[in-house]
Amino acid sequence: MRTILFSSQTYDRESFLGAAAGIELHFQPARLTLDTTALANGFDVVCAFINDDLSAPVLEHLVAGGTRLIALRSAGYNHVDLTAARALGLTVVRVPAYSPHAVAEHAVALILALNRRLHRAYNRTREGDFSLHGLTGFDLVGKRVGVVGTGQIGETFARIMAGFGCQLLAYDPFPNPAVEAMGARYLPLDPLLAESDIISLHCPLNDATRYLINADSLQHMKPGAMLINTGRGALVETPALIEALKSGQLGYLGLDVYEEEANLFFEDRSDLPLQDDVLARLLTFPNVIVTAHQAFLTREALAAIARTTLDNIAAWAAGRPCNQVDA
Ligand code: NAD
């Protein structure tokens, strides 16, 4: 089964080659876009990551080149035109779960770093500045943490925050009994935003959740609250964050995802001028930390992504597709 892995990095090569058996793998660092579809000619399987373009025109080119399976190396599939895939007879499979701990623990890392100003302290002590002004944090115990989306990652995140002694609030159209059993109180979104000291987003991106956090909902938040987004960039209307940070309405912001990340993240652009003015402005705030979609990046998660993706390809080749995503 000839498989091309778009957007592949060194760590993908290591994890996939460690697990591959009987599947011919071609590692392609380029992102899949309309301009790069020709690279997939003759490959039965296109293995894609989160910032690859899987819109209808791209899928049409892939099918014309002989591709029959799209194997996502991700859980999220908001970047795939599933209606077009179905019409073209393409099967789409994903990795529904690899390590909810990887993402949940990264959300917690952002909370701790922002609260205790570790990013500022790290730079200060390296410069010989051992002063403490501006580094005051708060105790997490007793604080209210609002978990938006309490599936696998949200549940894991909630359990960690319960361990800190936080009070859990939750919002999800389908409440999770395991999260209720931790003592979480399910609320509609607005009261959750109003009551939470920390809000963490763990819901999928879809029509109902696009810009869930916007200029209006930011005004409903507790003044000075912390917002963490390790879900998808477009859950948040990013320009509205800038005004909320300037006024102090938003006290802290931790982003692992950004709506316009596709042309930026996963590349070293340190010698180029940053063209994205919204991101550039966000990066000037001392109470903002942006990571480049790295929440999934643990050894355990990479091994699980490789194993499940290869199993998905083998199952499809054997006529028993699993982990299929359908329109
Ligand atoms: P999951 O399917 O287990 O859980 C998602 C939860 O969101 C479900 O409980 C669902 O009911 C809930 N939900 C659906 N619509 C909602 C809405 N309108 N409001 C609130 N909640 C809603 O998924 P998961 O494995 O926990 O992953 C969650 C998301 O995290 C993924 O969709 C993906 O976008 C993101 N993610 C990010 C990274 C990263 O590296 N930053 C890695 C993996 C996943």
Side-chain angles (χ1 to χ4, degrees):
M1 204 49 51
R2 296 193 75 223
T3 300
I4 181 166
L5 292 88
F6 279 94
S7 299
S8 60
Q9 306 274 349
T10 320
Y11 50 74
D12 292 309
R13 185 182 286 269
E14 286 163 5
S15 54
F16 272 81
L17 287 180
I23 297 175
E24 188 185 326
L25 300 174
H26 289 253
F27 295 92
Q28 174 52 253
R31 197 158 73 83
L32 175 61
T33 65
L34 206 46
D35 294 335
T36 60
T37 49
L39 294 169
N41 282 351
F43 284 94
D44 313 281
V45 182
V46 164
C47 183
F49 201 45
I50 44 191
N51 288 328
D52 287 316
D53 180 353
L54 293 156
S55 59
V58 171
L59 296 179
E60 282 163 20
H61 276 82
L62 295 180
V63 168
T67 298
R68 290 175 294 141
L69 176 70
I70 304 291
L72 302 174
R73 305 200 291 284
S74 59
Y77 49 87
N78 53 281
H79 55 314
V80 188
D81 187 330
L82 291 174
T83 313
R86 179 179 230 180
L88 290 162
L90 268 172
T91 305
V92 182
V93 294
R94 66 173 181 139
V95 183
Y98 39 91
S99 169
H101 304 281
V103 184
E105 289 172 13
H106 191 75
V108 177
L110 289 171
I111 291 172
L112 291 171
L114 283 164
N115 173 21
R116 307 310 296 265
R117 327 266 177 179
L118 297 185
H119 52 305
R120 302 189 70 194
Y122 172 81
N123 285 327
R124 261 189 215 185
T125 53
R126 286 171 71 91
E127 293 294 324
D129 175 357
F130 302 106
S131 67
L132 297 183
H133 62 87
L135 301 186
T136 307
F138 57 83
D139 289 0
L140 281 170
V141 66
K143 294 296 181 297
R144 288 186 176 153
V145 176
V147 188
V148 178
T150 51
Q152 301 171 83
I153 296 170
E155 177 187 329
T156 307
F157 171 78
R159 186 166 291 112
I160 299 172
M161 298 316 289
F164 279 107
C166 294
Q167 298 179 49
L168 298 176
L169 307 179
Y171 169 66
D172 193 310
F174 303 97
N176 177 341
V179 174
E180 286 175 314
M182 292 174 212
R185 193 154 50 94
Y186 275 89
L187 293 171
L189 184 61
D190 279 355
L192 176 141
L193 296 179
E195 286 191 37
S196 299
D197 300 290
I198 299 169
I199 295 148
S200 194
L201 307 181
H202 301 290
C203 55
L205 175 64
N206 55 38
D207 290 345
T209 59
R210 185 174 298 275
Y211 302 146
L212 194 76
I213 303 297
N214 52 45
D216 185 51
S217 51
L218 282 162
Q219 289 311 311
H220 286 99
M221 284 185 193
K222 203 167 174 175
M226 182 188 292
L227 176 67
I228 303 293
N229 187 9
T230 58
R232 282 290 180 269
L235 295 175
V236 175
E237 189 187 3
T238 316
L241 296 172
I242 292 172
E243 288 312 309
L245 286 161
K246 280 165 77 177
S247 69
Q249 171 65 12
L250 188 59
Y252 311 78
L253 175 67
L255 298 181
D256 184 54
V257 286
Y258 175 51
E259 187 176 5
E260 304 299 331
E261 70 181 52
N263 289 320
L264 292 168
F265 287 8
F266 308 137
E267 302 293 334
D268 179 359
R269 302 185 162 270
S270 54
D271 58 349
L272 298 169
L274 181 53
Q275 301 294 339
D276 185 317
D277 292 349
V278 173
L279 182 61
R281 181 68 178 99
L282 277 181
L283 292 171
T284 66
F285 291 97
N287 49 350
V288 172
I289 297 180
V290 177
T291 54
H293 211 135
Q294 71 175 75
F296 73 98
L297 196 63
T298 65
R299 281 195 297 274
E300 292 79 1
L302 288 173
I305 288 170
R307 181 70 273 145
T308 305
T309 303
L310 293 167
D311 287 351
N312 283 345
I313 295 170
W316 170 81
R320 298 186 309 273
C322 60
N323 293 322
Q324 214 169 328
V325 207
D326 206 338

